Amino acid sequence: MTDIHYNEQALLEQLMICTEYVDRAERYELLGPLYRLIIPIYETRKDYQALLTCYQHLTKAYAKVIEVNNSGKRLLGRFYRVAFFGKAHFGEDEEGIEFIYKEPKLTSLSEISEKLQQFYEQKLGAGSVRMIMDSAPVNREELDSKLAYIQVTWVRAAPEGMLACSSGGEGSFDRAHNVRRFVFETPFTRDGAARGPVHHQRLRLTHLTAENWFPYVKRRIPVTECQIEERSPIEVAVAEMEGQVAELNEIVHAKTPDIKKLQLRLQGSVCVQVNAGPIAYANAFLDPTLAPMYPDDLVDKLKTTFKEFLTVCHAALTLNAKLISSDQHSYQEALEANYFKLSDSLSSVLGQPLHDILVNGNLSTTVTGVELDCSNA
């Protein structure tokens, strides 16, 4: 660069400032690539004290990565889709445009909605703004032309190459860095209600692509592409069961077991409730009298997913038996009793014994008649 004084030292100083900000932003994974630019300069200069400082910082950063991944306590922000309606109030830059907003930490839907309402009422006048809190498509002909409308919907990031329903929470680095694809779900039924029985429950997935990638210099980015995918009731059931299997697998195979998370997920999975959860899906789509109504490939996929579900539930029960304290044996017995009750119910629907193949009688305790109270599961 010839027009301004910019040399290797100036670059180095800026990169070092960058490492400080990356650390403060808790994006520890970025320190490796940054130091791969910095370290060769110090090596050329034989500045061993600076190299020592670099490697010490990297050691602490990678230790932090392990810590926050195990604890799940890192909060890298939430994303919201915000749409503006009302030609009388919003200019061409906003009216009818959808934006993805990135909000800090655990900003809730109510918090961002209140903040937007207050901001635009100060700008447009008190009482002139109405918030649309559901994610259903907006019929603009039904809106009052005198009012400004803002629709806010929570969306989750769907990084390139990752499934939209794949695991990983808001503390996951991959879900908050270099993302521009987002998705949100809208449950619906053919009769117009949002919710219904499982054999009527459908799901609309709205996939959004932003103009640029987050993190960005602005807190909001316009949406440039929108694709809508609708799932049939049996596809909803398959996706739900696959999600449960993935979540349990992640908990079971974690390097550092989290017994609280394990027990909460176990209780929600193996408690048998009439017309709810896995049993409801099995009765609706796998009953021999009903299965012919649905595509064979989806029925087979759901059957396979149920077998995987029972397998991972058994693995979770076995892990829980190793982790529990002496005063939790009755709780373990209750979980096992509910597991066998669930597997028996699924076996009768599928027409084959499942837990005999999966368990081989190796659970840690002798199952008694104890049943877990599932009212709060």
Side-chain angles (χ1 to χ4, degrees):
M1 300 179 67
T2 57
D3 54 339
I4 58 172
H5 182 66
Y6 192 86
N7 55 25
E8 183 182 82
Q9 182 59 32
L11 169 65
L12 184 61
E13 289 172 0
Q14 287 186 320
L15 289 174
M16 290 303 295
I17 291 172
C18 230
T19 64
E20 295 177 18
Y21 279 103
V22 164
D23 196 300
R24 286 168 57 183
E26 299 182 49
R27 296 177 183 270
Y28 311 112
E29 291 87 344
L30 296 180
L31 285 168
L34 268 174
Y35 276 119
R36 282 196 285 275
L37 298 173
I38 294 169
I39 287 173
I41 298 174
Y42 285 137
E43 286 178 338
T44 302
R45 297 180 180 184
K46 292 184 171 52
D47 190 337
Y48 298 113
Q49 183 60 49
L51 286 169
L52 174 63
T53 302
C54 292
Y55 283 113
Q56 285 176 335
H57 192 188
L58 274 174
T59 300
K60 292 178 181 177
Y62 288 130
K64 268 291 188 183
V65 171
I66 296 169
E67 178 189 330
V68 296
N69 284 342
N70 289 337
S71 68
K73 292 181 179 179
R74 177 169 56 169
L75 306 172
L76 295 177
R78 285 183 173 175
F79 298 98
Y80 290 93
R81 166 244 191 196
V82 180
F84 299 91
F85 305 97
K87 291 182 180 179
H89 298 281
F90 299 115
E92 293 182 359
D93 294 338
E94 288 187 342
E95 203 281 325
I97 305 295
E98 295 176 304
F99 294 88
I100 300 296
Y101 277 65
K102 183 178 185 300
E103 295 296 307
K105 301 294 182 180
L106 284 176
T107 303
S108 67
L109 180 64
S110 59
E111 286 176 312
I112 182 176
S113 299
E114 183 179 356
K115 184 165 60 176
L116 286 169
Q117 184 167 9
Q118 289 178 352
F119 175 81
Y120 281 97
E121 283 193 341
Q122 289 177 357
K123 186 177 180 181
L124 304 174
S128 62
V129 178
R130 294 289 184 273
M131 304 302 298
I132 303 174
M133 301 304 293
D134 61 65
S135 59
V138 174
N139 185 347
R140 297 167 77 167
E141 295 181 359
E142 296 178 355
L143 302 180
D144 187 339
S145 60
K146 298 178 181 178
L147 297 174
Y149 293 86
I150 304 174
Q151 185 180 38
V152 184
T153 310
W154 173 79
V155 296
R156 64 175 181 270
E160 298 290 344
M162 293 179 65
L163 294 175
C165 61
S166 62
S167 59
E170 288 154 329
S172 167
F173 178 77
D174 291 329
R175 287 204 165 276
H177 189 77
N178 274 0
V179 290
R180 67 189 290 241
R181 291 170 54 81
F182 303 87
V183 63
F184 67 91
E185 301 172 353
T186 308
F188 73 101
T189 59
R190 289 297 189 199
D191 60 8
R195 300 284 181 180
V198 292
H199 60 286
H200 288 164
Q201 186 64 64
R202 296 174 176 271
L203 193 67
R204 183 182 296 111
L205 293 175
T206 304
H207 301 269
L208 305 172
T209 302
E211 188 175 75
N212 291 299
W213 305 78
F214 284 104
Y216 194 58
V217 292
K218 295 181 180 179
R219 63 188 290 255
R220 72 174 191 177
I221 300 177
V223 171
T224 57
E225 185 180 347
C226 177
Q227 295 178 331
I228 295 177
E229 168 194 356
E230 290 191 0
R231 287 181 178 171
S232 66
I234 190 170
E235 288 175 323
V236 173
V238 170
E240 174 63 26
M241 292 308 302
E242 285 180 337
Q244 290 194 40
V245 169
E247 189 174 352
L248 271 168
N249 265 318
E250 184 179 0
I251 295 170
V252 168
H253 295 104
K255 292 182 180 178
T256 304
D258 185 330
I259 189 168
K260 289 183 179 179
K261 188 183 293 186
L262 172 67
Q263 291 181 350
L264 282 172
R265 186 64 263 177
L266 254 178
Q267 185 169 330
S269 297
V270 304
C271 285
V272 179
Q273 298 182 32
V274 179
N275 297 324
I279 291 296
Y281 291 135
N283 289 334
F285 305 114
L286 301 182
D287 187 286
T289 61
L290 300 174
M293 299 168 55
Y294 304 100
D296 291 342
D297 60 329
L298 289 174
V299 171
D300 291 339
K301 190 173 184 180
L302 187 56
K303 287 181 179 179
T304 301
T305 307
F306 269 117
K307 293 173 184 176
E308 294 172 353
F309 175 68
L310 286 177
T311 301
V312 73
C313 281
H314 176 250
L317 279 168
T318 304
L319 177 61
N320 192 62
K322 295 177 182 177
L323 298 177
I324 58 173
S325 55
S326 57
D327 61 343
Q328 285 191 308
H329 285 300
S330 60
Y331 177 73
Q332 173 72 10
E333 291 175 356
L335 286 173
E336 291 178 11
N338 279 278
Y339 169 77
F340 281 107
K341 187 176 178 182
L342 172 64
S343 60
D344 285 341
S345 298
L346 292 175
S347 297
S348 64
V349 175
L350 295 174
Q352 64 180 117
L354 295 177
H355 67 74
D356 292 341
I357 300 171
L358 300 170
V359 178
N360 296 320
N362 289 327
L363 279 175
S364 63
T365 60
T366 302
V367 178
T368 67
V370 180
E371 286 200 18
L372 189 66
D373 178 8
C374 298
S375 59
N376 293 319

